[in-house]
Each structure stands twice: as structure tokens, then as C-alpha cells.
């Protein structure tokens, strides 16, 4: 069984060098041209990419470039140019979120490997198999899967699996977080995450605030540390263990890479003296260790809620303060001068005291620490405060040493040498390394030896003396060399130097055929236009909303129910009132959850609102009309054409688009096949973590939580006083909806003119009276009876569509 690769983040050149020195098998990084999910990292210029990739290849590693954001219609040509640069530079693979990027890449360079980003939300093997039709070789699976679910995933797909094992955990499903879009005017699906999950929130239960004491960071998970599960993941057949952290420095990268490499390869020694103890791993960066979801959901441990930032290791609590010294309880950690600490008073939103330790000594009760300048103001430190070790010179120094170790750690690449020759002919040496082969011949012919001649020991010593290079001798085959022959040692050394130079050039050079001209029109999938009368579709979440929508004359309703028994009754009631009925799938389909889709299909609805790739795979071809939701993240006509060709009647435009980007999509896509949500509360977080179970019960998961969601209504109050509802779906996942509804009323007349016949209104917690008012107003707008401004007043909404800022770039075209 092959060992999984250790895949390291590289946000800049120092982190890249540290990853290679620490033993990474592969690195992933983004371009500063944009279109990568970590726009705040330093990243790398596409104009100098070949040199960076050569650096990685000389270290015996692979290079993956992240082009893992959504792409807007006017940017397709820019993305094609970037893909050409990446392919020509020799990248081993690109990581993609948008189907359009995969389609363009496959057309530009079929030899370029494609990996599905975790941003694709390929949450089940059915989803992976559907997306495999894009030409993917690997899928980066969501962080929310357990080991048992990963095993089922592996058994159900042909794609190789890449699994996150270390680093920050997003509370929302990757690709399904719209908090930055809703609150920051920028999109996480465009690499502009504002980290709203790391902000404080107050809990409201049934309309009243509940005091949670020091717990305020209700959506900020602990970090993932799966070092103890690395062996199980290897045995499971996972192809790659991925470390998160493109925004982190070389100390973090080196420490994490070395420890995971050692966990799978006990004989491995990193190029630098990187600490391999667990304390170093936590001090490098940690919000507290967690197994995430690898052992299944545990809503009581995933989120601590006391702080959103790096904490490192807990040293103890303050038990005495005297001048510039203090005493702590706890004796478990080896404390040294130079370590940095922070004092935690349980109020992380306020400035925290901290600084380096000047002297440390053990006491019967714990430790005595002395501070100086720079250092903490101990007048602002209180008895009982927690003290965390947040830095250690040995960890920092090891990271800097690893970064300085150079681009290509020595001796990483095994070389196979095959020598051949007969008397009177040159000695021919054939060298192979990492799929590259080169050959060199001696300047002089082989002669009869007076003594032992060219034996294996001599050849291995002179040809295999590869110290100071990126190579080491892995195997020597002398079976084709006649015995008793001689060649001067100087010529053996010349052969060795020639082989090393040729292999080095071969590793740094990747020759690929690229499509000669633009490919965008060639990969565009034509779909038949769809003509329909302009109407309104209303998504309802409870009986009162459904009755109000029907009373207001809604001709079609979409039903999104928390429990399936009530859904069947609602379908029958809507049908009895003469309305067309669509039912909504869950937004995420995990392994083993296809039975939910089977139940929805058994209700024989007029249509199904498809929210996940797995549901699309399960439901296509059944003769039921399928409408794709915003959660499929379609933002351009290439992706629209591809997904429509897989069985959808329409696809709802993603919420990441602003007005101009939306209209560009509508103009380029088949007429009548794009649906638009004209009224909704943006679903800011869609999360596997259950706020209800965590804060209203002691239960680990749905089996032990007692289902408080059936008895209570929970909301989160933010720092400015807005109250955001938290809704539970049939899969026990939570969605946090924006407090304020958003309207595209002003766009409706233009959408009608451009053939957008499916305009959707989504209700969240509106009462029956509020729902009736909203639906009536939008129906009158669609009919042309009132102006958009009257809708905004009647529905009491915020008039805006999508984000206020994108990340469109203009590239300098290379010669």
C-alpha cells in the first residue's frame, strides 16, 4: 500500500521552502493574479511560475496551483490565459471549484491534472462521480466527513481522495458560506473570506437572550489535528493528507509537515532540526486541538466559544502576583525563558496582555515567571486568569532555518542507474528519476582491466556519489556490463556530473502541448431555450407560509420542510389548491443520505429543487422536472451549460453575482434557463455543527441531543444588534440566515425583458401575514401593476442583489 502524500500549504516563498525542507511530498499555492481561495496570502506571480515549479520538482515534490474560486462571465478569457501559463510552467495539477475552469483546462491542456476543490462541496461519492465527468482525477473531500463516511466515499468513486488533516476548520461547509457576501460586501467563493465565523454572537432562544458567560464565539471551531488518525487514513486508501494554512508562516508549515511525515514514515528525518513533539505542534498555531468530524459529530467539543484566535498551550492559572513576577498552578509543561505567553481574562474582544518570559522556575505548585520590557502590564492581570504559551524560540527558529535551507532539500530524489558496455565501446549510463530518463556515454571506450575492473562497489561509489545534489542512488543495475572492464575514475565522475545536470534540467522542464487558440466557444455546451410565462415561485418553510402563499395566488411553491411527514401533507394541500409543487433537497448530501432524495421523488412532485451535486446525480433521468438552486454556485455560461446538460431544467444564479455580473450570465446563457432569487434572507452559514445541540443540550449528535430544535427557535445576535435566525434541516444541519431580507425588485422588469421566467421568493421565518404581504407585492410587480419601489416599501426589505465588490483582474499578456 502506497503511503499517502503529505500536502503542504505555501502562501509565500518562505513557507514553500519550509514545506520542502520539512519533507512535503506536494505543495499547493495560489497566484497573485486572483482566482484562488486565499486572496490575502502573498501568493505567487503567474509570470514567474516556471521557476517556482522547477524549485518544487528539484525537491522531489509535486506542485498544485489553486484556481479554486468562482468565475464571472467577463473573466472567462482571463482564466483561460492563466490556465495556459500554469500548464506551460509545469504545474502537476490545478485545484478547481468552478466547472468552467475544469472545462477550459481540459480543452487547453488535456495532460494537466484536475482536482476538485473542497469548495465544490462534493460531499458524497455520487457527487464525485458526477463531477468526474469534468475530467477530474482527485477530489478534496469536505472536512465534515467521518472515517466511516470516508470509507463509504472511497468505495463509491473512482476518484482519488484528498483529506484535510490539520489546521483551521471552517464552521460552514466549504462552498456554502455566504457570510462574507452578506455582511462584508465580498465573497468567500471569490477568495475574500471575512471570517465572520470568528466574531462574537449572543444566543437568543424563543426571542429572549440567554446568558452563556464567557462563551461568545459560538461559530468559531477549534482547529483540526488528526495526527493520531494519519495511520487509519493511510490504511483507508486516502491519496493525500492535506494541511491547511496558506496564511501561516514557515514555523507552522515546517512543524506540521515534519510531524505528519514522521507519523507515516518513522525513519524520515527533515532537512532542518524541526521539533517533533506535540507541544511544538500546538505552539506553532492552534485554537485548541480537535478531531473535527473524523470520529463523527460531537457538538459539545467542536466549538469551545471562549476565543477565536491562536492560543497554543494552556500553561496554568495565575495564583499569585508580586511586582514583575507571578506564580501559576500546573506543572505539565517545560517552560523556558524566551517563550511568549498571553493572559486570558475571558474577554478576548478586549486587548490582552502578553509578552516573552524573561525567567522561569518550577515551584511546588507550578511555575514562577518573571517578565520585563517588552512585556505585559501585570496590573492588568488578575488572579485566576488563564495563561497560554503562544510562541517558542525553538519552533520559530526551526521554521526560519527550514525556510533558509533552500529551494531543494538535498538527496530527496531516488535515482536508478543502469550501466552497459563492452570492451572497445563507451560506457553507457542510463539514469531514471521521477519518470524522467536521461543517458550519457563516456568519452573513452572501455578497456580490458588489469585488476578487478568496474565492479558494483566501484560504480556505486563513483557514479552514486550524489551528495550535495537533489538525488540519491536508489538502485544500480550492472547486468548489461561485461565483466573485467576498465574506465578511468575521472570519466566516471564526468558521467556522474553529466547525469545530474541532465536530470536536473529534465525535472525543471515540463513539455506539454497546448491548444493553439481560444477554447471558450469550443467548450460551451448549447442548451435549448425555455419559454415560459413570467411568474413567481415561492419557497415556504412552514404551514402558515404555505397557506399565505396559496391565498396570495402563488402558482408554484417550493417546500423546504424540517421533517418529512409534514412535507407529504403539505404537498397534498398545495396540490389540492391547484398550485404546482416542488420539493427541496437538503443542501448537502453525505454518504448514505440518498434515501432522502428517494423519499422526495416518491412524493411525485411537479419538480424538485436540487441543491447538491449528489442529489442531481441521484435524481436526473427520472422524468421529474429539476431546478438547480444557488448552492450549485453557477456564475457563468460555461458552468450553466454543463450543469443544464446533466438534467436540470433551470439553474438559479449564485448569490455571489452583483447586478452586472448577473446580467452578463443571463445574456450568455440559454434564454429562460437561468432562475433568479428576487427576495430572500441570504443563508450566511450552512453548517454541520448544530447550535441547538451544542447550547441547548448535552448531546453529542442527533441520537443524544433530545431534538431541542423541535421545541425552540434559536437566533444569533451580532455585534450591531441584528438577529439572525438559525434553521435546522431534515439532515440536522443548521443554516444561519441573514437578519435582513434582500430584494432585487428593481431588476425584475429587466429580468422579464431578458427572458428570466423563474423569479423566486424565499421565506425564512416570516409569519403568515408577512408572507402574504411579500408574495402579493412581488406578484403585482411581476404583473407590472406596481413599481419596484413600492415592493421594497411593502416587503420592508433591503434593496440589493449580490455582492458589492468582486475580484476581477486584468492580466498582462506574456509574449
Amino acid at each position: 500500500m502506497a503511503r499517502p502524500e503529505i500536502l503542504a500549504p505555501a502562501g509565500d516563498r518562505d513557507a514553500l521552502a519550509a514545506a520542502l525542507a520539512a519533507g512535503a511530498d506536494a505543495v499547493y499555492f495560489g497566484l497573485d493574479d486572483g482566482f484562488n481561495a486565499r486572496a490575502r496570502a502573498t501568493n505567487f506571480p503567474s509570470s514567474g511560475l516556471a521557476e517556482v515549479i522547477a524549485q518544487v520538482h528539484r525537491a522531489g515534490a509535486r506542485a498544485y496551483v489553486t484556481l479554486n474560486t468562482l468565475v464571472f462571465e467577463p473573466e472567462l478569457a482571463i482564466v483561460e490565459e492563466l490556465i495556459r501559463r500554469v500548464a506551460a510552467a509545469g504545474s502537476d495539477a490545478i485545484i478547481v471549484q468552478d466547472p468552467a475552469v475544469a472545462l477550459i483546462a481540459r480543452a487547453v491542456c488535456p495532460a494537466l491534472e484536475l482536482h476538485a476543490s473542497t469548495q465544490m462541496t462534493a460531499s458524497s461519492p455520487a457527487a464525485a462521480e458526477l463531477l468526474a465527468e469534468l475530467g477530474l482525477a482527485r477530489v478534496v473531500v469536505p472536512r465534515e466527513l467521518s472515517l466511516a463516511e470516508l470509507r463509504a466515499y472511497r468505495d463509491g468513486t473512482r476518484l482519488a481522495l484528498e483529506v484535510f488533516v490539520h489546521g483551521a476548520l471552517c464552521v460552514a461547509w466549504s462552498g456554502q458560506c455566504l457570510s462574507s457576501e452578506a455582511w462584508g460586501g465580498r465573497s468567500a467563493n471569490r477568495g475574500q473570506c471575512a471570517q465572520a465565523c470568528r466574531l462574537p454572537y449572543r444566543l437568543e432562544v424563543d426571542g429572549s437572550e440567554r446568558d452563556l458567560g464567557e462563551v461568545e464565539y459560538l461559530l468559531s471551531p477549534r482547529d483540526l489535528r488528526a495526527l493520531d488518525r494519519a495511520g487509519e487514513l493511510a490504511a483507508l486508501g486516502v491519496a493525500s493528507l492535506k494541511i491547511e494554512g496558506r496564511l501561516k508562516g514557515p514555523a507552522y508549515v515546517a512543524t506540521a509537515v515534519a510531524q505528519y511525515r514522521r507519523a507515516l514514515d518513522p525513519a524520515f528525518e527533515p532537512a532542518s532540526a524541526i521539533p517533533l513533539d506535540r507541544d511544538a505542534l500546538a505552539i506553532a498555531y492552534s485554537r485548541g486541538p480537535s478531531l473535527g468530524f473524523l470520529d463523527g459529530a460531537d457538538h459539545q467539543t467542536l466549538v469551545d466559544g471562549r476565543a477565536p484566535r491562536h492560543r497554543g498551550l494552556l500553561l496554568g492559572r495565575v495564583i499569585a502576583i508580586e511586582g514583575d513576577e507571578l506564580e501559576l498552578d500546573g506543572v505539565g509543561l517545560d517552560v523556558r525563558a524566551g517563550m511568549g505567553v498571553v493572559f486570558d481574562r475571558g474577554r478576548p474582544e478586549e486587548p490582552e496582555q502578553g509578552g516573552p518570559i524573561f525567567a522561569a522556575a518550577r515551584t511546588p505548585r507550578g511555575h514562577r515567571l518573571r517578565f520585563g520590557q517588552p512585556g505585559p502590564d501585570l496590573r492588568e492581570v488578575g488572579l485566576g486568569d488563564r495563561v497560554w504559551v503562544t510562541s517558542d524560540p525553538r519552533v520559530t527558529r526551526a521554521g526560519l532555518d527550514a525556510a533558509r535551507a533552500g529551494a531543494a532539500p538535498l538527496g530527496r530524489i531516488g535515482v536508478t542507474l543502469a550501466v552497459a558496455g563492452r570492451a572497445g565501446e563507451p560506457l553507457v549510463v542510463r539514469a531514471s528519476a521521477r519518470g524522467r530518463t536521461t543517458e550519457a556515454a563516456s568519452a573513452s571506450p572501455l578497456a580490458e582491466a588489469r585488476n578487478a575492473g568496474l565492479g558494483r562497489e566501484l560504480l556505486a561509489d563513483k557514479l552514486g556519489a550524489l551528495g550535495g545534489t537533489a538525488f540519491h542512488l536508489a538502485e544500480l543495475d550492472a547486468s548489461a556490463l561485461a565483466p573485467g572492464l576498465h574506465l578511468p575514475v575521472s570519466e566516471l565522475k564526468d558521467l556522474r556530473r553529466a547525469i545530474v545536470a541532465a536530470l536536473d534540467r529534465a525535472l525543471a522542464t515540463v513539455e506539454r502541448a497546448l491548444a493553439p487558440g481560444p477554447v471558450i466557444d469550443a467548450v460551451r455546451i448549447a442548451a435549448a431555450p425555455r419559454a415560459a410565462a413570467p411568474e413567481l415561485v415561492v419557497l415556504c418553510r412552514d404551514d402558515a407560509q404555505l397557506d399565505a402563499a396559496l391565498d396570495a395566488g402563488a402558482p408554484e411553491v417550493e417546500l423546504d420542510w424540517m421533517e418529512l411527514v409534514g412535507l407529504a401533507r403539505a404537498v397534498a394541500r398545495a396540490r389540492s389548491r391547484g398550485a404546482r409543487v416542488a420539493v427541496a433537497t437538503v443542501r448537502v448530501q453525505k454518504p448514505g443520505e440518498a434515501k432522502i432524495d428517494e423519499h422526495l421523488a416518491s412524493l411525485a412532485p411537479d419538480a424538485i429543487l436540487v441543491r447538491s451535486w449528489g442529489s442531481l446525480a441521484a435524481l436526473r433521468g427520472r422524468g421529474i422536472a429539476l431546478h438547480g438552486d444557488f448552492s450549485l454556485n453557477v456564475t457563468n455560461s460555461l458552468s450553466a451549460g454543463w450543469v443544464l446538460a446533466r438534467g436540470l431544467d433551470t439553474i438559479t444564479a449564485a448569490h455571489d453575482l452583483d447586478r452586472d455580473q448577473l446580467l452578463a450570465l443571463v445574456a450568455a446563457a440559454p434564454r429562460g434557463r437561468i432562475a433568479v432569487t428576487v427576495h430572500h434572507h441570504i443563508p450566511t452559514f450552512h453548517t454541520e455543527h448544530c447550535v441547538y445541540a451544542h447550547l441547548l443540550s448535552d448531546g453529542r449528535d442527533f441520537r443524544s441531543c433530545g431534538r431541542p430544535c423541535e421545541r425552540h427557535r434559536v437566533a444569533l445576535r451580532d455585534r450591531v444588534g441584528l438577529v439572525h435566525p438559525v434553521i435546522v434541516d431534515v439532515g440536522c444541519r443548521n443554516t444561519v440566515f441573514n437578519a435582513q431580507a434582500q430584494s432585487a425588485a428593481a431588476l425584475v422588469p429587466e429580468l422579464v425583458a431578458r427572458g428570466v421566467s423563474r423569479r423566486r421568493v424565499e421565506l425564512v421565518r416570516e409569519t403568515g401575514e408577512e408572507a402574504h404581504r411579500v408574495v402579493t407585492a412581488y406578484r403585482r410587480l411581476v404583473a407590472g401593476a406596481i413599481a419596484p419601489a413600492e415592493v421594497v416599501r411593502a416587503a420592508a426589505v433591503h434593496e440589493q442583489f449580490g455582492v458589492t465588490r468582486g475580484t476581477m483582474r486584468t492580466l498582462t499578456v506574456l509574449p
Side-chain angles (χ1 to χ4, degrees):
M1 180 183 65
R3 173 179 65 78
E5 73 177 13
I6 304 300
L7 176 56
D12 59 24
R13 287 184 177 271
D14 284 348
L16 174 66
L20 298 176
D25 301 295
V27 293
Y28 66 101
F29 53 86
L31 304 177
D32 63 10
D33 306 275
F35 304 103
N36 85 83
R38 291 294 181 271
R40 290 190 293 123
T42 301
N43 296 308
F44 295 82
S46 62
S47 56
L49 194 56
E51 181 269 328
V52 174
I53 292 175
Q55 170 184 356
V56 175
H57 287 169
R58 288 189 178 107
R62 283 163 57 87
Y64 306 147
V65 174
T66 59
L67 292 172
N68 57 340
T69 66
L70 302 181
V71 177
F72 300 151
E73 190 68 29
E75 299 169 336
L76 292 171
I78 299 173
V79 168
E80 179 177 343
E81 169 65 15
L82 274 178
I83 290 170
R84 288 180 180 277
R85 295 184 187 187
V86 169
S91 175
D92 296 284
I94 60 173
I95 305 172
V96 306
Q97 175 183 14
D98 197 317
V101 179
L103 294 169
I104 294 171
R106 190 170 60 177
V108 166
C109 181
L112 181 59
E113 195 171 298
L114 304 177
H115 298 173
S117 169
T118 191
Q119 289 287 116
M120 266 190 156
T121 326
S123 54
S124 70
E129 286 299 286
L130 177 74
L131 294 170
E133 297 174 19
L134 290 165
L136 303 174
R138 180 188 292 188
V139 57
V140 186
V141 299
R143 296 169 174 88
E144 288 81 358
L145 301 184
S146 68
L147 286 166
E149 289 164 339
L150 286 170
R151 187 172 295 107
Y153 202 125
R154 176 209 60 195
D155 293 343
T157 180
R158 76 196 94 162
L159 298 183
L161 304 189
E162 181 175 304
V163 177
F164 278 99
V165 292
H166 195 82
L169 282 170
C170 298
V171 74
W173 283 79
S174 292
Q176 303 300 316
C177 181
L178 296 170
S179 61
S180 296
E181 192 271 352
W183 300 332
R186 60 197 198 188
S187 169
N189 283 323
R190 299 274 292 170
Q192 297 285 346
C193 175
Q195 292 195 307
C197 55
R198 306 298 181 186
L199 297 176
Y201 297 92
R202 301 286 186 180
L203 181 70
E204 287 201 359
V205 181
D206 301 326
S208 299
E209 185 172 317
R210 181 163 296 189
D211 185 7
L212 299 175
E214 295 182 353
V215 176
E216 294 185 9
Y217 295 87
L218 307 183
L219 299 177
S220 181
R222 291 183 166 109
D223 287 353
L224 175 62
R225 189 179 76 186
L227 199 61
D228 293 334
R229 296 292 183 272
E232 292 177 66
L233 288 165
L236 203 149
V238 167
S240 179
L241 303 186
K242 186 170 192 170
I243 297 167
E244 181 277 340
R246 281 192 281 149
L247 293 173
K248 298 190 177 74
Y252 166 88
V253 172
T255 306
V257 168
Q259 296 212 21
Y260 280 87
R261 179 69 187 267
R262 175 66 74 87
L264 296 182
D265 183 2
F268 173 76
E269 291 293 337
S272 299
I274 300 168
L276 296 173
D277 56 279
R278 297 295 179 89
D279 288 353
L281 193 61
I283 290 172
Y285 194 95
S286 177
R287 296 180 180 90
S290 163
L291 283 171
F293 292 93
L294 285 175
D295 283 354
D298 187 348
H299 302 304
Q300 302 307 322
T301 62
L302 184 72
V303 172
D304 173 67
R306 296 186 66 259
R309 62 180 72 94
H310 173 46
R311 277 299 188 246
L313 285 173
L314 180 63
L315 180 56
R317 288 180 180 265
V318 177
I319 56 177
I321 304 173
E322 299 174 10
D324 61 356
E325 295 187 357
L326 53 76
E327 189 174 2
L328 312 178
D329 62 5
V331 294
L333 190 62
D334 181 21
V335 184
R336 298 178 302 281
M339 282 182 163
V341 300
V342 68
F343 293 90
D344 175 359
R345 310 203 73 175
R347 298 191 294 272
E349 70 280 2
E350 299 177 1
E352 293 181 322
Q353 295 298 316
I357 299 170
F358 276 58
R362 286 194 179 271
T363 70
R365 295 189 293 179
H367 294 93
R368 191 168 187 87
L369 309 180
R370 180 168 61 82
F371 296 91
Q373 293 299 324
D377 181 354
L378 295 186
R379 293 172 300 179
E380 298 297 323
V381 174
L383 297 179
D385 288 358
R386 294 176 176 87
V387 183
W388 300 86
V389 177
T390 56
S391 65
D392 184 345
R394 70 188 180 110
V395 176
T396 304
R397 186 165 49 248
L400 294 175
D401 289 345
R404 286 194 293 261
L410 304 181
R412 283 277 301 275
I413 304 173
V415 177
T416 297
L417 298 180
V419 297
R422 294 181 296 179
E425 298 178 353
L427 176 68
V428 177
V429 180
R430 187 179 180 84
S432 301
R434 296 186 66 83
R436 273 81 164 180
T437 300
T438 189
E439 193 173 279
S442 63
S444 303
L446 289 160
E448 297 290 342
R450 295 179 181 177
N451 299 310
L454 298 177
R456 285 183 57 85
E457 185 175 344
L458 177 64
L459 290 169
D461 180 47
K462 302 307 179 186
L463 294 178
L466 299 172
T469 75
F471 308 103
H472 70 269
L473 180 63
E475 185 179 346
L476 174 65
D477 178 7
S479 60
L481 177 65
L485 298 176
H486 168 73
L487 191 72
V489 168
S490 61
E491 292 213 31
L492 291 176
K493 293 180 179 179
D494 288 343
L495 282 173
R496 183 187 70 224
R497 285 190 285 267
I499 288 166
V500 168
L503 280 177
D504 188 75
R505 286 193 301 271
L507 288 171
T509 305
V510 179
E511 296 182 358
R512 286 176 172 151
L514 305 185
V519 302
I520 291 172
D521 289 339
V523 300
R524 195 182 300 279
I525 300 173
R530 177 178 180 268
E535 252 306 346
L536 204 66
V537 180
V538 182
L539 185 140
C540 306
R541 287 188 164 87
D542 60 37
D543 291 317
Q545 292 174 357
L546 174 57
D547 289 337
L550 296 173
D551 291 343
E556 183 170 346
V557 291
E558 296 169 335
L559 306 181
D560 186 8
W561 251 237
M562 190 179 80
E563 46 84 29
L564 296 177
V565 175
L567 176 62
R569 292 194 297 265
V571 169
R573 188 163 76 259
R575 190 170 281 139
S576 71
R577 297 281 300 272
R580 296 188 302 276
V581 184
V583 293
T585 72
V586 290
R587 196 160 151 191
V588 167
Q589 181 210 70
K590 291 176 73 175
E593 293 183 351
K595 59 182 179 293
I596 297 175
D597 294 326
E598 294 296 329
H599 178 79
L600 297 178
S602 74
L603 299 177
D606 298 292
I608 296 179
L609 181 65
V610 176
R611 289 172 161 165
S612 73
W613 298 116
S615 292
L616 177 56
L619 295 168
R620 61 177 174 169
R622 294 180 179 236
I624 304 173
L626 302 178
H627 299 291
D629 206 354
F630 71 90
S631 49
L632 298 183
N633 287 329
V634 170
T635 56
N636 62 73
S637 61
L638 296 190
S639 294
W642 186 83
V643 73
L644 290 170
R646 269 128 196 94
L648 292 181
D649 288 54
T650 65
I651 176 68
T652 301
H655 295 331
D656 301 271
L657 299 166
D658 67 17
R659 175 191 178 278
D660 293 341
Q661 294 151 358
L662 171 67
L663 294 179
L665 166 62
V666 170
R671 187 175 179 85
R673 304 293 293 274
I674 301 297
V676 176
T677 307
V678 296
H679 176 100
H680 66 135
H681 296 257
I682 289 182
T684 54
F685 299 101
H686 186 65
T687 173
E688 193 74 9
H689 175 61
C690 184
V691 175
Y692 287 79
H694 175 45
L695 299 173
L696 301 184
S697 85
D698 296 323
R700 170 189 169 102
D701 57 21
F702 71 93
R703 289 178 289 264
S704 56
C705 70
R707 300 188 69 83
C709 56
E710 295 180 351
R711 304 184 302 276
H712 301 286
R713 282 191 164 194
V714 160
L716 302 181
R717 180 182 291 275
D718 67 19
R719 294 178 300 170
V720 298
L722 294 176
V723 179
H724 308 284
V726 182
I727 305 292
V728 182
D729 71 10
V730 70
C732 288
R733 296 175 191 107
N734 287 189
T735 303
V736 181
F737 287 89
N738 194 25
Q740 193 170 23
Q742 180 172 298
S743 172
L747 268 177
V748 167
E750 191 165 7
L751 294 175
V752 171
R754 295 186 183 223
V756 176
S757 57
R758 193 171 183 86
R759 272 68 49 80
R760 301 178 58 236
V761 167
E762 290 202 4
L763 305 173
V764 177
R765 275 189 180 160
E766 286 85 350
T767 64
E769 180 182 347
E770 291 167 338
H772 190 278
R773 185 172 66 248
V774 168
V775 174
T776 299
Y778 280 96
R779 287 209 70 208
R780 295 185 68 201
L781 174 65
V782 169
I786 60 174
E790 295 178 71
V791 175
V792 172
R793 285 194 297 271
V797 293
H798 170 62
E799 189 171 11
Q800 178 186 319
F801 185 86
V803 297
T804 58
R805 183 169 71 249
T807 57
M808 185 171 175
R809 303 297 180 100
T810 301
L811 291 187
T812 300
V813 179
L814 297 177

